[in-house]
Amino acid sequence: MTIKTRTSGYADPSLHAQGLYIGGKWEKGSGIAVVDPSSGDSLADVPDASVEDALRAVDAAEAAASGWRATAPRQRSEILRRWFQLMSEHAEELATLISLENGKALSDACGEVAYAAEFFRWYAEEATRLPGEYRHTPSGSHQILVDHEPIGISLLITPWNFPAAMATRKIGPALAAGCTVILKPASETPLTAYAMARLGEEAGVPPGVVNVLTTTSPGPVTSAVLADPRVRKLSFTGSTGVGRLLLAEAAKTVVSCSMELGGNAPFLVFDDADLEAALDGAMVAKMRNAGEACTAANRFYVQAGIHDAFVAGLTERMAALKIGAGYDPETQCGPMITPKAVEKINRLVGDAIALGARATTGGAPLPGSGYFYPPTVLENVPVDAAIASEEIFGPVAPIYRFETEGEAIRLANNTDYGLAAYVYSQDLGRAMRVGSRIDSGMLGINRGLMSDPAAPFGGVKQSGIGREGGVTGIQEFVEAKYYAVEF
Ligand code: NAP
Protein backbone atom coordinates (compact mmCIF):
# COMPACT_ATOMS: atom_id res chain seq x y z
CA MET A 1 0.00 0.00 0.00
CA THR A 2 1.25 3.47 -0.76
CA ILE A 3 0.20 6.30 1.43
CA LYS A 4 -0.59 9.46 -0.47
CA THR A 5 1.76 12.11 0.86
CA ARG A 6 1.96 15.84 0.48
CA THR A 7 5.52 16.10 1.59
CA SER A 8 8.86 14.65 0.65
CA GLY A 9 9.65 14.17 4.36
CA TYR A 10 7.88 10.83 4.54
CA ALA A 11 10.35 8.86 2.52
CA ASP A 12 10.47 5.28 3.76
CA PRO A 13 7.87 3.08 2.01
CA SER A 14 8.90 0.10 4.17
CA LEU A 15 6.99 1.81 7.00
CA HIS A 16 3.73 1.87 5.04
CA ALA A 17 1.00 -0.31 6.52
CA GLN A 18 0.51 -3.67 4.87
CA GLY A 19 -2.48 -5.00 6.79
CA LEU A 20 -3.47 -6.52 10.11
CA TYR A 21 -0.43 -7.66 12.07
CA ILE A 22 -1.23 -11.03 13.66
CA GLY A 23 1.27 -13.63 14.79
CA GLY A 24 4.11 -11.83 13.00
CA LYS A 25 2.29 -11.88 9.64
CA TRP A 26 0.85 -8.98 7.68
CA GLU A 27 -2.67 -9.67 6.40
CA LYS A 28 -3.87 -7.42 3.63
CA GLY A 29 -7.33 -5.92 3.68
CA SER A 30 -9.33 -2.73 3.45
CA GLY A 31 -12.39 -1.05 4.84
CA ILE A 32 -11.15 1.85 6.97
CA ALA A 33 -10.37 5.07 5.12
CA VAL A 34 -7.67 7.17 6.75
CA VAL A 35 -8.19 10.86 6.06
CA ASP A 36 -5.90 13.89 6.00
CA PRO A 37 -7.76 16.31 8.32
CA SER A 38 -6.16 19.34 6.69
CA SER A 39 -7.95 18.64 3.41
CA GLY A 40 -10.46 15.84 3.96
CA ASP A 41 -8.63 13.80 1.31
CA SER A 42 -8.14 10.08 1.69
CA LEU A 43 -4.60 8.99 2.63
CA ALA A 44 -4.92 5.22 2.80
CA ASP A 45 -7.28 2.34 3.37
CA VAL A 46 -6.52 -0.12 6.17
CA PRO A 47 -8.09 -3.47 7.06
CA ASP A 48 -11.27 -3.74 9.07
CA ALA A 49 -10.77 -6.64 11.50
CA SER A 50 -13.68 -8.91 12.37
CA VAL A 51 -14.35 -10.60 15.71
CA GLU A 52 -12.78 -13.77 14.21
CA ASP A 53 -9.62 -11.83 13.30
CA ALA A 54 -9.42 -10.49 16.84
CA LEU A 55 -9.75 -13.98 18.32
CA ARG A 56 -6.96 -15.14 16.00
CA ALA A 57 -4.87 -12.34 17.49
CA VAL A 58 -5.63 -13.77 20.95
CA ASP A 59 -4.51 -17.21 19.66
CA ALA A 60 -1.27 -15.64 18.40
CA ALA A 61 -0.68 -13.80 21.67
CA GLU A 62 -1.32 -17.05 23.56
CA ALA A 63 1.06 -19.03 21.33
CA ALA A 64 3.83 -16.50 22.01
CA ALA A 65 3.08 -16.00 25.72
CA SER A 66 5.09 -18.76 27.37
CA GLY A 67 8.17 -18.12 25.22
CA TRP A 68 8.10 -14.40 25.90
CA ARG A 69 7.52 -14.87 29.61
CA ALA A 70 10.54 -17.21 29.69
CA THR A 71 12.72 -14.80 27.71
CA ALA A 72 15.39 -13.38 30.00
CA PRO A 73 14.64 -9.84 31.21
CA ARG A 74 17.97 -8.73 29.74
CA GLN A 75 16.93 -10.01 26.31
CA ARG A 76 13.50 -8.38 26.53
CA SER A 77 15.29 -5.21 27.56
CA GLU A 78 17.61 -5.31 24.56
CA ILE A 79 14.73 -5.76 22.11
CA LEU A 80 12.96 -2.74 23.61
CA ARG A 81 16.20 -0.77 23.47
CA ARG A 82 16.61 -1.63 19.75
CA TRP A 83 13.01 -0.56 19.15
CA PHE A 84 13.80 2.79 20.84
CA GLN A 85 16.85 3.13 18.61
CA LEU A 86 14.90 2.38 15.43
CA MET A 87 12.15 4.84 16.33
CA SER A 88 14.81 7.49 16.90
CA GLU A 89 16.44 6.72 13.55
CA HIS A 90 13.05 6.93 11.78
CA ALA A 91 11.84 9.92 13.79
CA GLU A 92 11.33 12.18 10.78
CA GLU A 93 9.23 9.66 8.84
CA LEU A 94 7.17 8.77 11.89
CA ALA A 95 6.57 12.44 12.73
CA THR A 96 5.45 13.18 9.18
CA LEU A 97 3.12 10.21 9.26
CA ILE A 98 1.60 11.45 12.54
CA SER A 99 1.14 14.93 11.05
CA LEU A 100 -0.51 13.46 7.97
CA GLU A 101 -3.10 11.31 9.69
CA ASN A 102 -3.61 13.29 12.90
CA GLY A 103 -3.08 16.83 11.62
CA LYS A 104 -0.81 18.02 14.43
CA ALA A 105 2.01 20.45 13.66
CA LEU A 106 5.31 18.78 12.73
CA SER A 107 7.00 20.30 15.77
CA ASP A 108 4.41 18.60 18.01
CA ALA A 109 4.74 15.37 16.04
CA CYS A 110 8.55 15.39 16.42
CA GLY A 111 8.06 15.96 20.15
CA GLU A 112 5.64 13.05 20.28
CA VAL A 113 7.99 10.64 18.51
CA ALA A 114 10.83 11.50 20.91
CA TYR A 115 8.48 11.11 23.90
CA ALA A 116 7.05 7.85 22.52
CA ALA A 117 10.46 6.31 21.86
CA GLU A 118 11.57 7.19 25.38
CA PHE A 119 8.99 4.77 26.81
CA PHE A 120 10.84 1.93 25.10
CA ARG A 121 14.18 3.14 26.48
CA TRP A 122 12.74 3.64 29.98
CA TYR A 123 11.09 0.20 30.05
CA ALA A 124 14.16 -1.42 28.51
CA GLU A 125 15.83 -0.26 31.73
CA GLU A 126 12.92 -1.22 34.01
CA ALA A 127 12.70 -4.74 32.49
CA THR A 128 15.81 -5.75 34.40
CA ARG A 129 14.87 -4.01 37.65
CA LEU A 130 11.50 -5.51 38.62
CA PRO A 131 11.77 -5.93 42.39
CA GLY A 132 10.49 -8.78 44.56
CA GLU A 133 10.02 -8.83 48.32
CA TYR A 134 11.19 -10.95 51.23
CA ARG A 135 10.19 -10.51 54.88
CA HIS A 136 9.54 -12.34 58.11
CA THR A 137 5.97 -12.55 59.37
CA PRO A 138 5.47 -10.46 62.53
CA SER A 139 4.69 -13.67 64.47
CA GLY A 140 7.89 -15.27 63.23
CA SER A 141 5.94 -18.30 62.02
CA HIS A 142 7.25 -18.26 58.43
CA GLN A 143 8.73 -16.16 55.66
CA ILE A 144 6.91 -14.07 53.07
CA LEU A 145 8.29 -14.12 49.57
CA VAL A 146 6.64 -12.03 46.85
CA ASP A 147 7.36 -12.51 43.18
CA HIS A 148 5.93 -10.48 40.28
CA GLU A 149 4.59 -12.50 37.39
CA PRO A 150 3.43 -11.14 34.02
CA ILE A 151 -0.32 -10.56 34.25
CA GLY A 152 -0.99 -12.24 30.90
CA ILE A 153 -2.36 -11.37 27.50
CA SER A 154 -3.16 -7.68 27.41
CA LEU A 155 -5.57 -5.76 25.21
CA LEU A 156 -4.31 -2.23 24.60
CA ILE A 157 -6.74 0.34 23.19
CA THR A 158 -5.42 3.76 22.22
CA PRO A 159 -6.83 7.12 21.02
CA TRP A 160 -5.96 9.21 17.96
CA ASN A 161 -4.49 12.25 19.71
CA PHE A 162 -1.08 10.68 20.48
CA PRO A 163 -0.95 7.76 18.01
CA ALA A 164 2.65 6.84 18.87
CA ALA A 165 3.05 7.74 22.54
CA MET A 166 -0.18 6.20 23.82
CA ALA A 167 0.85 2.90 22.20
CA THR A 168 4.46 2.83 23.46
CA ARG A 169 3.36 3.90 26.96
CA LYS A 170 1.47 0.58 27.10
CA ILE A 171 3.58 -1.73 24.93
CA GLY A 172 6.82 -0.77 26.72
CA PRO A 173 5.81 -1.83 30.25
CA ALA A 174 3.74 -4.80 29.01
CA LEU A 175 6.67 -6.30 27.10
CA ALA A 176 9.12 -5.45 29.86
CA ALA A 177 6.90 -7.33 32.33
CA GLY A 178 6.74 -10.36 30.01
CA CYS A 179 3.21 -9.96 28.61
CA THR A 180 2.10 -10.43 25.01
CA VAL A 181 -0.30 -7.82 23.62
CA ILE A 182 -3.00 -6.96 21.13
CA LEU A 183 -2.99 -3.28 20.19
CA LYS A 184 -6.14 -1.66 18.81
CA PRO A 185 -5.26 1.85 17.65
CA ALA A 186 -7.90 4.48 16.89
CA SER A 187 -9.49 4.23 13.44
CA GLU A 188 -8.45 7.80 12.58
CA THR A 189 -4.71 7.16 13.12
CA PRO A 190 -3.77 3.53 12.44
CA LEU A 191 -0.80 4.22 10.14
CA THR A 192 1.55 5.24 12.94
CA ALA A 193 0.75 2.08 14.90
CA TYR A 194 1.41 -0.14 11.89
CA ALA A 195 4.65 1.71 11.13
CA MET A 196 5.81 1.19 14.70
CA ALA A 197 4.93 -2.52 14.50
CA ARG A 198 7.20 -2.76 11.46
CA LEU A 199 10.03 -1.28 13.46
CA GLY A 200 9.27 -3.66 16.34
CA GLU A 201 9.59 -6.56 13.91
CA GLU A 202 12.98 -5.22 12.84
CA ALA A 203 13.99 -4.78 16.49
CA GLY A 204 13.45 -8.51 17.04
CA VAL A 205 10.04 -8.66 18.74
CA PRO A 206 9.07 -12.33 18.23
CA PRO A 207 5.92 -13.17 16.21
CA GLY A 208 2.74 -12.96 18.28
CA VAL A 209 4.24 -10.87 21.09
CA VAL A 210 2.76 -7.70 19.58
CA ASN A 211 -0.36 -7.95 17.39
CA VAL A 212 -2.08 -4.94 15.84
CA LEU A 213 -5.58 -4.72 14.50
CA THR A 214 -7.83 -1.98 13.25
CA THR A 215 -11.59 -2.33 13.18
CA THR A 216 -14.80 -0.42 12.62
CA SER A 217 -16.49 -2.62 15.24
CA PRO A 218 -14.54 -1.76 18.41
CA GLY A 219 -17.45 -2.74 20.68
CA PRO A 220 -18.02 -6.33 19.44
CA VAL A 221 -14.29 -6.94 18.92
CA THR A 222 -13.43 -5.75 22.43
CA SER A 223 -16.28 -7.72 24.01
CA ALA A 224 -15.16 -10.92 22.29
CA VAL A 225 -11.52 -10.43 23.31
CA LEU A 226 -12.41 -9.60 26.92
CA ALA A 227 -14.73 -12.61 27.13
CA ASP A 228 -11.84 -14.90 26.23
CA PRO A 229 -10.50 -16.28 29.54
CA ARG A 230 -6.92 -16.14 28.22
CA VAL A 231 -7.02 -12.33 28.22
CA ARG A 232 -6.21 -10.90 31.67
CA LYS A 233 -5.60 -7.22 31.15
CA LEU A 234 -7.26 -4.23 29.52
CA SER A 235 -5.28 -1.02 29.27
CA PHE A 236 -7.38 1.74 27.76
CA THR A 237 -6.69 5.37 26.89
CA GLY A 238 -9.59 7.40 25.58
CA SER A 239 -12.77 9.16 26.61
CA THR A 240 -14.41 8.69 29.99
CA GLY A 241 -17.64 7.58 28.27
CA VAL A 242 -16.00 4.68 26.43
CA GLY A 243 -13.92 3.90 29.54
CA ARG A 244 -17.12 3.41 31.55
CA LEU A 245 -18.49 1.00 28.92
CA LEU A 246 -15.25 -0.98 28.93
CA LEU A 247 -15.13 -1.21 32.73
CA ALA A 248 -18.60 -2.77 32.64
CA GLU A 249 -17.54 -5.15 29.88
CA ALA A 250 -14.36 -6.15 31.73
CA ALA A 251 -16.36 -6.80 34.90
CA LYS A 252 -17.98 -9.83 33.24
CA THR A 253 -14.70 -11.76 33.26
CA VAL A 254 -13.08 -9.71 36.08
CA VAL A 255 -10.28 -8.51 33.82
CA SER A 256 -7.77 -6.11 35.42
CA CYS A 257 -8.24 -2.58 34.03
CA SER A 258 -5.99 0.44 33.67
CA MET A 259 -7.91 3.50 32.51
CA GLU A 260 -6.42 6.75 31.20
CA LEU A 261 -9.49 8.88 30.54
CA GLY A 262 -10.57 12.42 29.85
CA GLY A 263 -9.49 15.61 31.59
CA ASN A 264 -10.68 19.13 32.40
CA ALA A 265 -7.47 20.74 33.61
CA PRO A 266 -7.64 24.02 35.55
CA PHE A 267 -4.80 26.51 35.03
CA LEU A 268 -4.51 28.86 38.02
CA VAL A 269 -2.61 32.15 37.76
CA PHE A 270 -2.13 34.13 40.97
CA ASP A 271 -1.38 37.86 41.19
CA ASP A 272 2.18 37.09 42.26
CA ALA A 273 2.92 34.92 39.18
CA ASP A 274 5.66 35.82 36.72
CA LEU A 275 3.39 37.00 33.88
CA GLU A 276 5.71 36.05 31.01
CA ALA A 277 6.35 32.59 32.49
CA ALA A 278 2.62 32.08 33.03
CA LEU A 279 1.91 33.05 29.39
CA ASP A 280 4.65 30.73 28.11
CA GLY A 281 3.25 27.92 30.25
CA ALA A 282 -0.32 28.68 29.16
CA MET A 283 0.63 28.41 25.50
CA VAL A 284 2.23 25.00 26.04
CA ALA A 285 -0.53 23.71 28.31
CA LYS A 286 -3.22 24.91 25.90
CA MET A 287 -1.72 24.61 22.44
CA ARG A 288 0.32 21.40 22.42
CA ASN A 289 -1.46 19.36 19.71
CA ALA A 290 -3.70 22.40 19.07
CA GLY A 291 -5.47 21.67 22.35
CA GLU A 292 -6.21 18.03 21.49
CA ALA A 293 -4.56 16.67 24.64
CA CYS A 294 -6.02 15.14 27.79
CA THR A 295 -3.73 17.36 29.88
CA ALA A 296 -4.73 20.50 27.94
CA ALA A 297 -5.59 23.50 30.09
CA ASN A 298 -9.39 23.60 29.78
CA ARG A 299 -10.19 26.38 32.27
CA PHE A 300 -7.99 29.40 33.00
CA TYR A 301 -8.67 30.89 36.45
CA VAL A 302 -6.81 34.19 36.74
CA GLN A 303 -6.66 36.39 39.87
CA ALA A 304 -8.16 39.89 39.53
CA GLY A 305 -4.87 41.81 39.81
CA ILE A 306 -3.18 40.09 36.87
CA HIS A 307 -6.32 39.19 34.90
CA ASP A 308 -6.35 41.95 32.26
CA ALA A 309 -2.63 41.68 31.50
CA PHE A 310 -2.97 37.91 31.18
CA VAL A 311 -5.95 38.19 28.79
CA ALA A 312 -4.08 40.73 26.64
CA GLY A 313 -0.88 38.65 26.58
CA LEU A 314 -2.62 35.40 25.77
CA THR A 315 -4.73 37.05 23.06
CA GLU A 316 -1.61 38.44 21.40
CA ARG A 317 0.17 35.08 21.43
CA MET A 318 -2.83 33.05 20.28
CA ALA A 319 -3.64 35.48 17.45
CA ALA A 320 -0.04 35.27 16.17
CA LEU A 321 -0.07 31.47 15.65
CA LYS A 322 0.21 30.24 12.08
CA ILE A 323 -2.62 27.90 11.11
CA GLY A 324 -2.15 25.26 8.42
CA ALA A 325 -1.64 21.63 7.53
CA GLY A 326 0.40 19.92 10.22
CA TYR A 327 3.03 18.70 7.76
CA ASP A 328 3.77 22.26 6.59
CA PRO A 329 6.87 23.06 8.70
CA GLU A 330 5.62 26.65 9.22
CA THR A 331 2.41 25.49 10.92
CA GLN A 332 1.91 26.09 14.64
CA CYS A 333 -1.77 25.11 14.86
CA GLY A 334 -3.02 22.25 12.70
CA PRO A 335 -6.58 21.10 11.93
CA MET A 336 -8.88 19.27 14.33
CA ILE A 337 -9.24 15.53 13.84
CA THR A 338 -12.78 15.45 12.36
CA PRO A 339 -15.63 17.79 11.35
CA LYS A 340 -17.45 16.50 14.45
CA ALA A 341 -14.66 17.83 16.67
CA VAL A 342 -15.02 21.27 15.05
CA GLU A 343 -18.79 21.17 15.61
CA LYS A 344 -18.31 20.39 19.30
CA ILE A 345 -15.86 23.27 19.79
CA ASN A 346 -18.17 25.60 17.91
CA ARG A 347 -21.10 24.57 20.10
CA LEU A 348 -19.14 25.18 23.33
CA VAL A 349 -17.85 28.58 22.17
CA GLY A 350 -21.30 29.60 20.87
CA ASP A 351 -22.90 28.67 24.18
CA ALA A 352 -20.30 30.65 26.19
CA ILE A 353 -20.76 33.74 23.97
CA ALA A 354 -24.55 33.48 24.26
CA LEU A 355 -24.10 33.53 28.06
CA GLY A 356 -22.00 36.71 27.97
CA ALA A 357 -18.42 35.68 27.10
CA ARG A 358 -16.40 37.68 24.56
CA ALA A 359 -13.91 36.29 22.04
CA THR A 360 -10.79 38.48 22.07
CA THR A 361 -9.44 36.47 19.14
CA GLY A 362 -10.94 33.67 17.02
CA GLY A 363 -14.41 32.43 17.93
CA ALA A 364 -15.71 30.73 14.75
CA PRO A 365 -14.59 27.82 12.51
CA LEU A 366 -12.52 28.64 9.45
CA PRO A 367 -14.09 28.07 6.02
CA GLY A 368 -12.49 25.64 3.55
CA SER A 369 -12.05 21.94 3.08
CA GLY A 370 -9.94 21.12 6.17
CA TYR A 371 -11.24 20.82 9.74
CA PHE A 372 -9.81 24.07 11.11
CA TYR A 373 -10.75 26.03 14.20
CA PRO A 374 -8.64 29.10 14.98
CA PRO A 375 -6.85 29.76 18.28
CA THR A 376 -9.48 31.45 20.43
CA VAL A 377 -9.46 33.33 23.73
CA LEU A 378 -12.71 33.90 25.63
CA GLU A 379 -13.01 36.36 28.53
CA ASN A 380 -15.90 36.99 30.94
CA VAL A 381 -16.89 33.34 30.72
CA PRO A 382 -19.61 32.42 33.24
CA VAL A 383 -18.41 29.61 35.51
CA ASP A 384 -21.52 27.56 34.73
CA ALA A 385 -21.13 27.64 30.91
CA ALA A 386 -20.93 24.18 29.31
CA ILE A 387 -17.33 24.92 28.29
CA ALA A 388 -16.34 24.85 31.98
CA SER A 389 -17.48 21.27 32.47
CA GLU A 390 -16.86 19.62 29.07
CA GLU A 391 -13.51 18.71 27.57
CA ILE A 392 -12.94 21.27 24.75
CA PHE A 393 -10.21 19.30 22.95
CA GLY A 394 -9.37 22.27 20.75
CA PRO A 395 -7.48 25.59 20.64
CA VAL A 396 -9.87 27.55 22.86
CA ALA A 397 -8.82 29.22 26.11
CA PRO A 398 -11.76 30.28 28.33
CA ILE A 399 -10.65 32.71 31.05
CA TYR A 400 -12.45 33.18 34.38
CA ARG A 401 -11.61 35.82 37.00
CA PHE A 402 -11.20 34.94 40.70
CA GLU A 403 -10.45 36.93 43.86
CA THR A 404 -9.27 34.57 46.62
CA GLU A 405 -7.17 31.42 46.98
CA GLY A 406 -10.11 29.50 48.45
CA GLU A 407 -12.33 30.47 45.53
CA ALA A 408 -9.68 29.31 43.03
CA ILE A 409 -9.38 25.90 44.72
CA ARG A 410 -13.15 25.48 44.85
CA LEU A 411 -13.52 26.35 41.14
CA ALA A 412 -10.60 24.10 40.16
CA ASN A 413 -12.18 21.12 41.93
CA ASN A 414 -15.65 21.76 40.53
CA THR A 415 -15.43 18.93 37.97
CA ASP A 416 -15.85 15.17 37.72
CA TYR A 417 -12.37 14.96 36.20
CA GLY A 418 -9.01 14.98 37.97
CA LEU A 419 -6.17 14.40 35.52
CA ALA A 420 -3.91 17.45 35.35
CA ALA A 421 -3.82 20.92 36.95
CA TYR A 422 -1.46 23.89 36.72
CA VAL A 423 -0.57 26.56 39.29
CA TYR A 424 1.46 29.71 38.61
CA SER A 425 2.74 31.69 41.61
CA GLN A 426 6.21 32.89 42.60
CA ASP A 427 5.37 31.99 46.19
CA LEU A 428 6.33 28.32 46.16
CA GLY A 429 4.68 27.79 49.54
CA ARG A 430 1.36 29.00 48.14
CA ALA A 431 1.77 26.99 44.93
CA MET A 432 2.43 23.78 46.89
CA ARG A 433 -0.39 24.52 49.37
CA VAL A 434 -2.89 25.12 46.58
CA GLY A 435 -1.58 22.14 44.62
CA SER A 436 -2.04 19.82 47.57
CA ARG A 437 -5.73 20.81 47.77
CA ILE A 438 -6.50 20.26 44.09
CA ASP A 439 -7.94 16.85 43.21
CA SER A 440 -5.74 15.74 40.33
CA GLY A 441 -3.27 13.00 39.57
CA MET A 442 -0.70 15.46 38.22
CA LEU A 443 0.23 19.05 38.94
CA GLY A 444 2.38 21.50 37.02
CA ILE A 445 3.88 24.09 39.37
CA ASN A 446 5.12 27.03 37.26
CA ARG A 447 5.31 24.54 34.38
CA GLY A 448 2.96 23.97 31.45
CA LEU A 449 4.21 20.53 30.46
CA MET A 450 4.28 17.52 32.77
CA SER A 451 4.50 14.40 30.56
CA ASP A 452 7.69 12.45 31.18
CA PRO A 453 8.31 8.72 30.70
CA ALA A 454 9.97 8.56 34.12
CA ALA A 455 6.91 10.01 35.92
CA PRO A 456 3.61 8.32 36.88
CA PHE A 457 0.96 9.66 34.48
CA GLY A 458 -2.71 9.31 35.39
CA GLY A 459 -5.74 10.79 37.00
CA VAL A 460 -8.17 10.61 39.90
CA LYS A 461 -11.98 10.78 39.95
CA GLN A 462 -13.42 10.09 36.47
CA SER A 463 -10.07 10.68 34.76
CA GLY A 464 -8.95 7.15 35.33
CA ILE A 465 -7.60 4.24 37.31
CA GLY A 466 -3.91 3.39 37.52
CA ARG A 467 -0.73 5.05 36.30
CA GLU A 468 1.39 4.79 33.17
CA GLY A 469 5.10 5.55 32.95
CA GLY A 470 7.67 5.72 35.70
CA VAL A 471 8.39 2.82 38.00
CA THR A 472 4.64 2.45 38.63
CA GLY A 473 3.74 1.75 34.99
CA ILE A 474 5.15 -1.76 34.90
CA GLN A 475 3.14 -2.71 38.02
CA GLU A 476 -0.03 -2.48 35.90
CA PHE A 477 1.21 -5.51 33.92
CA VAL A 478 2.27 -7.81 36.77
CA GLU A 479 0.50 -9.82 39.43
CA ALA A 480 2.09 -10.21 42.83
CA LYS A 481 2.41 -13.86 43.86
CA TYR A 482 2.94 -14.57 47.55
CA TYR A 483 4.81 -17.67 48.64
CA ALA A 484 4.41 -18.63 52.32
CA VAL A 485 7.68 -20.36 53.12
CA GLU A 486 8.58 -22.28 56.23
CA PHE A 487 12.01 -23.76 56.88
P1 NAP B 1 -12.54 7.40 22.33
O1 NAP B 1 -13.61 7.77 21.41
O2 NAP B 1 -12.89 6.96 23.70
O3 NAP B 1 -11.67 6.28 21.58
C1 NAP B 1 -10.51 5.74 22.15
C2 NAP B 1 -10.31 4.34 21.62
O4 NAP B 1 -11.40 3.53 22.03
C3 NAP B 1 -10.25 4.24 20.11
O5 NAP B 1 -9.32 3.25 19.74
C4 NAP B 1 -11.67 3.81 19.76
O6 NAP B 1 -11.76 3.11 18.55
C5 NAP B 1 -11.97 2.89 20.91
N1 NAP B 1 -13.40 2.68 21.13
C6 NAP B 1 -14.43 3.50 20.84
N2 NAP B 1 -15.59 2.93 21.21
C7 NAP B 1 -15.29 1.73 21.72
C8 NAP B 1 -16.05 0.66 22.26
N3 NAP B 1 -17.37 0.73 22.36
N4 NAP B 1 -15.40 -0.44 22.68
C9 NAP B 1 -14.06 -0.52 22.59
N5 NAP B 1 -13.28 0.45 22.10
C10 NAP B 1 -13.89 1.57 21.67
O7 NAP B 1 -11.50 8.60 22.56
P2 NAP B 1 -10.78 9.47 21.46
O8 NAP B 1 -11.74 10.45 20.93
O9 NAP B 1 -10.04 8.61 20.50
O10 NAP B 1 -9.66 10.21 22.34
C11 NAP B 1 -9.90 11.38 23.02
C12 NAP B 1 -10.13 11.10 24.49
O11 NAP B 1 -9.02 10.40 25.04
C13 NAP B 1 -10.23 12.37 25.30
O12 NAP B 1 -11.27 12.26 26.23
C14 NAP B 1 -8.88 12.45 26.01
O13 NAP B 1 -8.88 13.19 27.19
C15 NAP B 1 -8.59 11.01 26.24
N6 NAP B 1 -7.15 10.81 26.45
C16 NAP B 1 -6.72 10.51 27.71
C17 NAP B 1 -5.36 10.35 27.95
C18 NAP B 1 -4.84 10.02 29.31
O14 NAP B 1 -3.69 9.63 29.42
N7 NAP B 1 -5.64 10.16 30.37
C19 NAP B 1 -4.46 10.48 26.89
C20 NAP B 1 -4.93 10.78 25.62
C21 NAP B 1 -6.30 10.94 25.41
P3 NAP B 1 -12.28 3.83 17.20
O15 NAP B 1 -11.28 4.86 16.88
O16 NAP B 1 -12.31 2.72 16.22
O17 NAP B 1 -13.62 4.40 17.53
Side-chain angles (χ1 to χ4, degrees):
M1 172 190 312
T2 303
I3 298 164
K4 209 158 92 187
T5 71
R6 293 167 181 279
T7 163
S8 57
Y10 181 47
D12 188 349
S14 73
L15 289 185
H16 290 189
Q18 297 292 309
L20 302 176
Y21 185 54
I22 299 177
K25 295 204 166 57
W26 293 91
E27 301 179 7
K28 290 202 165 134
S30 62
I32 304 180
V34 187
V35 167
D36 168 3
S38 69
S39 63
D41 291 350
S42 171
L43 287 170
D45 202 298
V46 299
D48 184 1
S50 63
V51 165
E52 291 69 34
D53 294 326
L55 292 176
R56 283 192 303 106
V58 178
D59 292 341
E62 167 73 4
S66 58
W68 185 245
R69 181 189 172 116
T71 301
R74 174 64 69 206
Q75 210 178 326
R76 296 204 293 258
S77 162
E78 281 170 2
I79 290 171
L80 283 170
R81 175 71 204 204
R82 275 201 296 278
W83 205 348
F84 157 75
Q85 192 64 39
L86 285 166
M87 279 188 69
S88 306
E89 284 165 18
H90 290 272
E92 195 188 334
E93 293 100 307
L94 288 172
T96 308
L97 195 50
I98 292 173
S99 281
L100 276 165
E101 63 177 353
N102 166 285
K104 69 175 73 177
L106 259 184
S107 53
D108 281 332
C110 289
E112 180 182 349
V113 174
Y115 173 54
E118 281 299 337
F119 283 105
F120 286 156
R121 177 152 67 170
W122 175 263
Y123 284 108
E125 290 155 357
E126 289 299 293
T128 58
R129 311 226 189 300
L130 200 55
E133 200 183 316
Y134 176 85
R135 63 176 70 209
H136 299 270
T137 58
S139 68
S141 62
H142 65 279
Q143 331 297 316
I144 293 169
L145 209 143
V146 182
D147 188 19
H148 289 111
E149 299 186 340
I151 196 166
I153 298 175
S154 304
L155 173 62
L156 317 177
I157 303 181
T158 52
W160 50 263
N161 68 334
F162 285 93
M166 297 303 95
T168 60
R169 204 165 74 174
K170 298 181 188 305
I171 296 171
L175 266 56
C179 301
T180 58
V181 307
I182 299 153
L183 172 68
K184 196 218 84 61
S187 302
E188 290 89 351
T189 55
L191 305 178
T192 307
Y194 282 128
M196 288 196 306
R198 277 222 163 278
L199 295 176
E201 211 174 16
E202 200 178 325
V205 176
V209 170
V210 174
N211 305 278
V212 185
L213 38 94
T214 37
T215 179
T216 54
S217 318
V221 159
T222 302
S223 299
V225 171
L226 291 177
D228 189 312
R230 296 171 295 177
V231 175
R232 297 312 312 147
K233 179 77 195 179
L234 167 64
S235 178
F236 172 75
T237 298
S239 61
T240 297
V242 173
R244 266 189 220 111
L245 288 176
L246 292 178
L247 282 167
E249 204 58 36
K252 294 179 184 162
T253 37
V254 194
V255 166
S256 161
C257 290
S258 299
M259 293 275 146
E260 295 286 347
L261 307 177
N264 183 8
F267 189 106
L268 275 51
V269 185
F270 287 90
D271 283 348
D272 59 10
D274 174 330
L275 178 63
E276 287 305 306
L279 289 168
D280 288 347
M283 289 303 288
V284 176
K286 179 73 255 180
M287 292 307 293
R288 192 163 67 118
N289 284 355
E292 293 178 317
C294 53
T295 50
N298 211 56
R299 298 168 289 150
F300 287 85
Y301 296 115
V302 185
Q303 204 164 15
I306 199 171
H307 176 273
D308 292 355
F310 185 85
V311 172
L314 195 63
T315 301
E316 191 182 325
R317 289 174 191 231
M318 292 282 272
L321 292 177
K322 189 168 181 313
I323 303 165
Y327 42 80
D328 174 347
E330 301 282 300
T331 293
Q332 293 167 302
C333 178
M336 303 294 95
I337 190 74
T338 54
K340 207 169 142 205
V342 175
E343 276 165 32
K344 178 185 177 185
I345 298 165
N346 199 30
R347 170 177 63 78
L348 291 174
V349 170
D351 170 73
I353 290 174
L355 292 173
R358 187 176 79 89
T360 58
T361 184
L366 298 178
S369 53
Y371 316 144
F372 290 97
Y373 199 93
T376 295
V377 176
L378 297 175
E379 65 170 352
N380 297 330
V381 186
V383 292
D384 54 354
I387 203 166
S389 55
E390 290 186 40
E391 209 176 7
I392 305 168
F393 241 58
V396 178
I399 301 179
Y400 313 81
R401 185 191 296 258
F402 73 87
E403 303 285 341
T404 66
E405 196 177 298
E407 184 189 0
I409 293 168
R410 186 178 53 73
L411 287 167
N413 286 336
N414 186 24
T415 170
D416 290 335
Y417 295 102
L419 188 62
Y422 305 85
V423 178
Y424 272 78
S425 165
Q426 290 188 81
D427 175 349
L428 191 57
R430 162 186 262 176
M432 293 299 291
R433 180 174 67 240
V434 170
S436 72
R437 292 180 58 196
I438 292 181
D439 303 329
S440 69
M442 300 178 287
L443 235 130
I445 301 276
N446 294 323
R447 202 177 149 73
L449 179 67
M450 53 193 42
S451 305
D452 193 300
F457 190 105
V460 300
K461 301 203 284 188
Q462 295 191 30
S463 283
I465 301 170
R467 294 293 180 270
E468 291 191 325
V471 292
T472 331
I474 198 166
Q475 296 296 335
E476 307 277 329
F477 291 95
V478 295
E479 285 283 21
K481 184 185 267 183
Y482 156 48
Y483 294 81
V485 183
E486 194 164 339
F487 57 86

